[in-house]
Amino acid sequence: MAQQEDVFKKIVSHCKEYGFVFPSSDIYDGLGAVYDYGQNGVELKNNIKQYWWQSMVLLHQNIVGIDAAIFMHPTTWKASGHVDAFNDPLIDNRDSKKRYRADVLIEEQIAKYDEKIEKEVAKAAKRFGENFDEVMFCSTNPRVLEHKAKRDALHERFAKALNNNDLEELRQIILDEEIVCPISGTRNWTEVRQFNLMFSTEVGSTADGASKIYLRPETAQGIFVNYLNVQKTGRMKLPFGIAQIGKAFRNEIVARQFIFRMREFEQMEMQFFVKPGTELEWFQKWKQTRMAWHQALGFGAENYRFHDHDKLAHYANAATDIEFHMPFGFKEVEGIHSRTNFDLSQHAKYSGKKIEYFDPDTNESYTPYVIETSIGVDRMFLSVMCHSFDEEQLPNGETRTVLHLPAALAPVKLAVFPLTKKDGLPEKAQEIINDLRFHFNCKYEEKDQIGKRYRRMDAIGTPYCVTVDPQTLEDNTVTLRDRDSMEQRRVHISELQGIIEDQVSITSLLKKLL
Ligand code: ATP
């Protein structure tokens, strides 16, 4: 675990050192849980967004996009339930004065039991070798059974407390499980209280009677309030979806995991409107579609899992998270929710407008049901970074720091180096860039020895480097070096576009989805 924490620290500093992510307002020592994306970070982030957007809007004839404003009429948040119920249960440790989410403390405790079971299994697998029967072992080994019984009992008690909104019981669970504050190491806990996560501000001057408005805590409501506009103007027929990428704001209580939990973040959400009664089928379909989107990146199926919700919001009839194996455990990256007709009905009620769909096939009107897929851009960014970061031992004893980014997401696709700064080599290198820059992001570098330039490109995940040398001037060939294998080969300049373009395009990823 300590080793994993070290890796995470290294990733955070790598992100800063190489222009991916900076603390916000860094010169003033930063602002809690707010971050800025640097010159490489913004490219990677844009590529992630493009991959998502195109997978939704280009690959589906029945999904369109919108871009709604961050500020919305305040009644929106009354109707959606956020004013009354967008709360987290928080608990303070009196000794460290640190604040935690009570539900997260308990979830981490459940994960500890899971880890204990995994360790027993791994130990036994090693001991028994090829003959190991995991199912048999898990159903008979007394230690595994004991951990499992404790885990299940805790899980059940926790789910019940959440469903009943029983704050006293959440605290009691923390006490009974002897959960300690990681900072002070004590069990000196306060009561559990509810805390609303929405930021508010005022619009208009006070003389006119200013009114309180909120910074949206999710982008989804911008889609719901535009359902009628889009359905009518786009002449959309059910089932259809509306996709949106945009900023969201939450006054998170605990914000200690870099860009995993931020106060200002970005979401990519898609609301899929379906005929009532078909929603669970669509829910399954979107679960598979979204998992395939993640796995097309090639990070290994074993690093993902679904986590079904214990506590369903009163309006939801199914919900799951896609979790990714981060250095600090399996964590939610995306949520997929079957939200029934709750949001549209609420907006109909609060606005007094009829928000329905006229079904030309059956001649009836009804309120569509909704399947939502909701993923955080920043969490996705973090998972890509965590999986790609590597400190590789080379055969010559050196270590190289390399980001094995999927080529389609890499900020820079090709770096072009003149071997030396003279004899017309820089001009030749620029010529190559001038040709290729229309097709993908190229970077020119002439400082330092070639080896150092390779390392700098490895550190930002550039999949290809090209070196221009005196031979290039004679026969128009260059050395093309591959980031992952570090292999170099001689190719003709005219071949570069063909070799590289397909590998680095978002299209190459999208094709894996079909
Ligand atoms: P959590 O339980 O971790 O607080 P959530 O269940 O409240 O997350 P949703 O409301 O389902 O999250 O939001 C959808 C997605 O938005 C999440 O899967 C996550 O990727 C992203 N997200 C939510 N809150 C944050 C945040 N504070 N910082 C960064 N991303 C976030």
Side-chain angles (χ1 to χ4, degrees):
M1 206 58 190
Q3 214 181 354
Q4 290 290 304
E5 274 163 26
D6 279 355
V7 172
F8 190 55
K9 275 193 197 138
K10 279 185 187 166
I11 293 169
V12 175
S13 47
H14 190 87
C15 279
K16 181 164 182 192
E17 198 181 333
Y18 287 92
F20 283 92
V21 183
F22 306 125
S24 151
S25 0
D26 202 10
I27 55 168
Y28 295 105
D29 296 332
L31 177 68
V34 186
Y35 291 88
D36 296 342
Y37 285 83
Q39 67 279 16
N40 290 316
V42 69
E43 298 288 345
L44 172 56
K45 197 177 180 212
N46 281 342
N47 291 338
I48 292 172
K49 290 196 270 186
Q50 236 191 49
Y51 174 40
W52 183 87
W53 185 264
Q54 297 191 1
S55 77
M56 288 292 176
V57 176
L58 293 194
L59 298 193
H60 295 93
Q61 295 284 327
N62 59 351
I63 299 182
V64 293
I66 61 162
D67 183 20
I70 287 170
F71 292 146
M72 300 182 71
H73 192 285
T75 309
T76 309
W77 306 109
K78 198 72 197 147
S80 68
H82 283 82
V83 171
D84 297 322
F86 193 50
N87 300 321
D88 274 345
L90 68 87
I91 189 165
D92 291 11
N93 182 273
R94 290 199 184 91
D95 299 321
S96 66
K97 309 266 181 290
K98 289 280 176 202
R99 185 161 281 182
Y100 299 89
R101 266 174 61 178
D103 55 333
V104 171
L105 286 179
I106 300 170
E107 274 169 8
E108 284 171 358
Q109 181 74 359
I110 294 174
K112 277 191 189 146
Y113 287 117
D114 285 335
E115 272 166 32
K116 282 183 188 166
I117 296 171
E118 278 164 25
K119 268 197 193 133
E120 293 289 346
V121 172
K123 250 191 345 204
K126 211 166 159 194
R127 191 154 21 102
F128 293 113
E130 270 183 14
N131 300 327
F132 182 58
D133 179 343
E134 186 175 333
V135 177
M136 175 71 129
F137 177 77
C138 287
S139 56
T140 52
N141 178 275
R143 268 190 306 271
V144 169
L145 290 177
E146 191 189 330
H147 294 318
K148 197 167 170 332
K150 282 192 186 156
R151 181 217 178 272
D152 290 348
L154 172 59
H155 188 256
E156 195 176 317
R157 193 174 164 199
F158 172 53
K160 199 163 148 207
L162 277 184
N163 276 321
N164 296 340
N165 244 333
D166 189 343
L167 303 183
E168 203 23 61
E169 174 69 353
L170 285 178
R171 177 169 192 269
Q172 200 53 48
I173 294 175
I174 291 173
L175 296 180
D176 292 351
E177 286 288 323
E178 304 185 341
I179 296 174
V180 296
C181 162
I183 309 286
S184 66
T186 72
R187 285 181 249 148
N188 194 3
W189 297 110
T190 62
E191 300 303 301
V192 176
R193 279 172 297 141
Q194 294 285 24
F195 178 82
N196 192 291
L197 298 177
M198 280 201 294
F199 283 104
S200 65
T201 185
E202 308 226 310
V203 68
S205 74
T206 26
D208 298 331
S211 66
K212 182 170 170 178
I213 57 166
Y214 297 97
L215 272 69
R216 64 179 178 199
E218 63 175 28
T219 57
Q221 298 304 323
I223 294 180
F224 291 125
V225 300
N226 276 297
Y227 160 80
L228 278 183
N229 285 336
V230 174
Q231 195 271 321
K232 295 227 160 87
T233 58
R235 293 184 293 130
M236 308 300 290
K237 281 188 76 180
L238 241 53
F240 76 92
I242 304 179
Q244 174 169 226
I245 300 179
K247 287 274 177 130
F249 304 82
R250 295 182 190 178
N251 197 1
E252 297 281 0
I253 305 160
V254 185
R256 282 196 272 273
Q257 272 158 337
F258 190 42
I259 55 171
F260 181 79
R261 193 172 295 289
M262 302 158 91
R263 298 203 165 101
E264 173 179 341
F265 59 102
E266 210 164 357
Q267 288 185 315
M268 306 190 279
E269 296 197 298
M270 194 279 300
Q271 311 292 325
F272 199 71
F273 301 93
V274 304
K275 188 174 176 171
T278 64
E279 72 277 9
L280 292 180
E281 216 174 286
W282 282 108
F283 176 72
Q284 291 304 334
K285 219 169 176 151
W286 278 109
K287 267 177 82 170
Q288 302 318 322
T289 307
R290 293 304 305 143
M291 187 56 108
W293 182 90
H294 286 276
Q295 294 191 358
L297 291 171
F299 297 163
E302 70 283 5
N303 287 313
Y304 299 89
R305 68 181 187 197
F306 286 114
H307 174 247
D308 295 332
H309 283 203
D310 292 320
K311 184 193 179 189
L312 286 181
H314 61 276
Y315 53 84
N317 62 6
T320 195
D321 296 333
I322 294 180
E323 295 186 337
F324 182 74
H325 197 184
M326 303 268 192
F328 43 94
F330 270 94
K331 296 286 166 188
E332 170 182 345
V333 175
E334 170 156 6
I336 301 165
H337 312 121
S338 175
R339 298 176 71 117
T340 68
N341 62 3
F342 174 77
D343 302 88
L344 292 183
S345 306
Q346 284 292 99
H347 288 306
K349 185 167 136 198
Y350 278 81
S351 67
K353 306 269 175 356
K354 191 170 154 202
I355 306 183
E356 288 187 341
Y357 175 73
F358 175 73
D359 191 331
D361 298 333
T362 59
N363 275 337
E364 7 156 52
S365 288
Y366 48 78
T367 312
Y369 270 40
V370 172
I371 305 298
E372 157 181 276
T373 73
S374 172
I375 168 169
V377 182
D378 314 270
R379 278 194 197 175
M380 188 61 206
F381 184 108
L382 185 60
S383 63
V384 171
M385 269 293 175
C386 289
H387 194 272
S388 304
F389 181 83
D390 192 13
E391 287 179 318
E392 212 173 71
Q393 284 306 125
L394 299 179
N396 66 4
E398 280 180 30
T399 318
R400 74 160 179 156
T401 304
V402 52
L403 290 183
H404 297 289
L405 294 173
L409 300 186
V412 177
K413 312 299 188 189
L414 172 72
V416 184
F417 310 147
L419 187 60
T420 57
K421 284 189 225 171
K422 47 186 202 287
D423 303 331
L425 299 184
E427 290 76 9
K428 188 73 186 169
Q430 286 292 0
E431 222 175 83
I432 296 176
I433 290 189
N434 288 347
D435 264 359
L436 294 178
R437 67 183 164 180
F438 298 103
H439 306 282
F440 40 78
N441 199 357
C442 305
K443 197 172 165 66
Y444 175 80
E445 280 254 20
E446 60 174 28
K447 204 168 163 295
D448 299 322
Q449 291 167 341
I450 292 289
K452 274 198 178 159
R453 286 182 250 173
Y454 281 153
R455 288 292 180 278
R456 276 204 297 273
M457 285 300 138
D458 288 342
I460 64 165
T462 305
Y464 297 103
C465 295
V466 146
T467 304
V468 172
D469 56 24
Q471 195 188 327
T472 313
L473 302 181
E474 287 163 26
D475 63 5
N476 272 325
T477 63
V478 288
T479 314
L480 177 66
R481 184 248 195 196
D482 179 272
R483 176 197 67 199
D484 296 335
S485 65
M486 302 200 315
E487 269 165 22
Q488 302 183 13
R489 59 185 165 133
R490 201 84 200 168
V491 301
H492 199 270
I493 290 175
S494 61
E495 291 175 277
L496 285 174
Q497 188 188 336
I499 299 173
I500 299 170
E501 193 172 22
D502 192 46
Q503 301 297 321
V504 303
S505 72
I506 298 283
T507 314
S508 66
L509 276 180
L510 295 175
K511 282 186 179 157
K512 293 189 189 167
L513 302 178
L514 297 177

